[in-house]
Amino acid sequence: MANALDRAGYRFLRTAGHTPDAETAMRRFSALGEHAAIWLAIGAAGAALDEPRRARWTRGLAVVGGAYALNTAIKLAVRRRRPDIPGLPPLTGTPTGLSFPSAHATSSFAAARAYSELLPAGPLYALAAGLALSRLYLGVHWPSDSLAGVALGSAVGTLAHR
C-alpha cells in the first residue's frame, strides 16, 4: 500500500505543472538546498551581523549541520535507491543515488525550527516546504522520503530547542 502511494504521489508530482521554464526555475531553486547551503548561509549571516544574538545563530548553525550529518548517516544505513520510473527520469542530478530520507527536507525543517525565534517563522517554513517539494517536482525523491525528512528535521530542531 505504501509503495503504491509513493508511486502515485511520485507520478503526480513529477508530471503536474511541468513546463520547460518551470523545470529550469525549480532546478535553480532546489540548488539552494544542496548540502543545506541556503540554511548555512542564513545562519552564518545572522551570526556575523547580529552580534547580540550571535550565540543563538551559532547554535542554529550547529542544529542545521547536525541534522544534515544525521540525515547522511541514516541514508547510508537505509540505502534506499532514488526513484527509477520508466518514462519519468529525474530532472536534476544528485550527490548520491541514496534517497531516504530527503536531506533537503531534513535540513530545511531543522533550520526553520532553529531560526524561527530569530526570524519570522512563516517565511522560514515556506522556504523549507518549497525546498522539500522541489525534490519531488524534480523526481529525485519518493514522497515518503520527503515526509521522513520533514519529520526528522522537525524533531532535531525541536529537540535542540529544548
Side-chain angles (χ1 to χ4, degrees), residues 27-55:
R27 273 192 293 278
R28 289 180 181 152
F29 173 68
S30 189
L32 296 173
E34 282 298 328
H35 307 291
I38 188 69
W39 301 110
L40 295 172
I42 290 169
L49 300 172
D50 186 3
E51 188 174 344
R53 301 186 302 173
R54 182 168 290 146

Side-chain angles (χ1 to χ4, degrees), residues 9 21 34 38 57 67 83 89 97 102 160:
D21 288 343
E34 282 298 328
I38 188 69
W57 282 108
S102 165

Side-chain angles (χ1 to χ4, degrees), residues 18-150:
H18 282 258
T19 66
D21 288 343
E23 290 173 358
T24 297
M26 193 63 77
R27 273 192 293 278
R28 289 180 181 152
F29 173 68
S30 189
L32 296 173
E34 282 298 328
H35 307 291
I38 188 69
W39 301 110
L40 295 172
I42 290 169
L49 300 172
D50 186 3
E51 188 174 344
R53 301 186 302 173
R54 182 168 290 146
R56 291 170 65 191
W57 282 108
T58 302
R59 183 174 180 193
L61 278 165
V63 169
V64 173
Y68 184 79
L70 178 59
N71 178 277
T72 300
I74 293 169
K75 235 177 213 178
L76 291 170
V78 172
R79 306 199 68 76
R80 184 181 194 188
R81 305 304 302 169
R82 292 191 184 273
D84 183 15
I85 303 294
L88 292 174
L91 300 175
T92 193
T94 58
T96 74
L98 302 177
S99 187
F100 181 91
S102 165
H104 274 65
T106 300
S107 60
S108 293
F109 278 82
R113 179 64 182 104
Y115 300 149
S116 66
E117 292 185 4
L118 299 163
L119 294 172
L124 291 170
Y125 281 100
L127 177 58
L131 287 169
L133 287 169
S134 75
R135 308 307 280 168
L136 299 172
Y137 182 91
L138 294 171
V140 295
H141 278 294
W142 297 106
S144 60
D145 299 335
S146 288
L147 290 173
V150 168

